[in-house]
Amino acid sequence: MLPSANFNFFASVAWRLLRPGNRMNRFPIAIRLVTLFLVLVGQAIAAPQSAQQTTEAPKASTQKGSAQKASAPKASTPKASTPKESDTTASTPKESNPKANAPTAGTSKSSTGKANARCPAQDFGRFLDVFSDSPNLQRRFTRFPLEFGEVIDPGYAEPSREFSIRMIESYDKIPLFDRGDGGRIFPSRTKRNRGDLVIVRERGMREKPEFPDERDDPDDEVVLLFFGNTGFGVYFRFLRDGNCWFLQAIHDKSAWS
């Protein structure tokens, strides 16, 4: 609209300079033409500037609006929080397989990692020789909890003996633990010779006497250690588990008579 207004203004001025009866008619025609020329030149100069101002004005307004728009904080539109479905399914424990979890004969609940221990000998006779000479091997190849049975004699005038069985949880608490013999539970060769101890071993050996709650597995390698000609002694029961044998139970029946 501004260029159009300028044109109308200058056209009006030119008309007034040239129209008949104008007070400017008393000036010579040359002066009037020069004046008209200057008016036209002024129009030509003013028109681009006006157009530029007109163009820059909306541009500045646009930039200002863009700056305001950029600086204006975005309205935080809270996302509709969709609550996750809560798992209302009751945690159902897996059914334990009694057959899989039940300990087999000679398998204790602890020390299962010992089944992979390096075996000192594959022949049981040789294993027993090494086992009896080394307190460290006796620790390593004893399975806990260990079944320990012993004869209880109350010392009455008429003895009333009974056989008591309990589970031993650690090596040092085994009643046969002998610090004087290097910490062994099975006597060394030297002590056996000095005490005239006899060793008899047999797989699945029947003990004398037998009791209903004691360990009695036909696969056990049973070692009987006793004095001289007595028929009672201490039974050591070993079972092969994995690649070696492990002591599973000790039954001390040496006081039975």
Side-chain angles (χ1 to χ4, degrees):
M1 293 180 65
L2 185 58
S4 177
N6 291 335
F7 176 79
N8 293 335
F9 172 76
F10 287 114
S12 175
V13 171
W15 167 250
R16 291 190 181 196
L17 289 174
L18 298 177
R19 70 184 177 89
N22 188 8
R23 288 180 299 179
M24 294 290 292
N25 290 341
R26 63 178 179 266
F27 296 100
I29 187 64
I31 295 175
R32 284 185 289 170
L33 290 175
V34 170
T35 303
L36 179 61
F37 176 76
L38 294 176
V39 170
L40 293 176
V41 171
Q43 179 184 8
I45 294 173
Q49 293 178 351
S50 300
Q52 183 177 3
Q53 291 176 356
T54 304
T55 305
E56 291 178 356
K59 184 177 180 182
S61 176
T62 304
Q63 292 178 350
K64 185 177 180 181
S66 301
Q68 291 178 352
K69 183 177 180 181
S71 61
K74 294 183 180 180
S76 60
T77 305
K79 295 182 179 180
S81 61
T82 304
K84 296 181 179 179
E85 293 186 1
S86 59
D87 188 3
T88 57
T89 305
S91 175
T92 304
K94 294 181 180 179
E95 293 183 4
S96 59
N97 187 346
K99 185 176 181 180
N101 295 334
T104 57
T107 303
S108 64
K109 294 182 290 184
S110 63
S111 304
T112 55
K114 292 184 178 180
N116 296 323
R118 184 176 179 180
C119 192
Q122 293 300 312
D123 177 72
F124 181 73
R126 175 58 183 160
F127 169 83
L128 183 62
D129 291 339
V130 179
F131 180 87
S132 63
D133 287 337
S134 173
N136 291 331
L137 289 180
Q138 293 186 25
R139 283 182 178 271
R140 287 176 55 193
F141 292 94
T142 298
R143 182 63 54 80
F144 295 97
L146 175 75
E147 179 181 302
F148 188 85
E150 62 181 333
V151 175
I152 304 299
D153 185 357
Y156 298 154
E158 294 181 1
S160 176
R161 295 176 178 85
E162 61 182 11
F163 189 71
S164 173
I165 298 176
R166 68 181 187 274
M167 305 304 291
I168 305 296
E169 298 293 339
S170 65
Y171 184 85
D172 295 347
K173 293 184 179 180
I174 299 175
L176 299 183
F177 178 75
D178 187 355
R179 295 186 183 276
D181 195 24
R184 292 174 174 84
I185 56 175
F186 192 96
S188 62
R189 185 188 305 271
T190 301
K191 188 170 183 178
R192 295 198 307 269
N193 292 337
R194 187 171 57 244
D196 194 23
L197 296 174
V198 180
I199 294 179
V200 177
R201 61 181 179 88
E202 179 185 343
R203 174 172 290 188
M205 181 191 301
R206 305 292 295 270
E207 298 185 18
K208 297 178 182 179
E210 292 181 316
F211 298 95
D213 295 331
E214 67 182 2
R215 176 185 176 87
D216 182 15
D217 193 317
D219 292 330
D220 285 350
E221 290 284 355
V222 184
V223 178
L224 171 61
L225 184 66
F226 62 95
F227 292 97
N229 296 324
T230 64
F232 305 100
V234 182
Y235 293 86
F236 296 82
R237 305 188 71 94
F238 295 83
L239 180 68
R240 189 179 181 93
D241 185 5
N243 67 336
C244 205
W245 289 271
F246 293 86
L247 180 62
Q248 307 285 339
I250 299 176
H251 299 155
D252 184 359
K253 301 177 180 179
S254 57
W256 194 274
S257 61

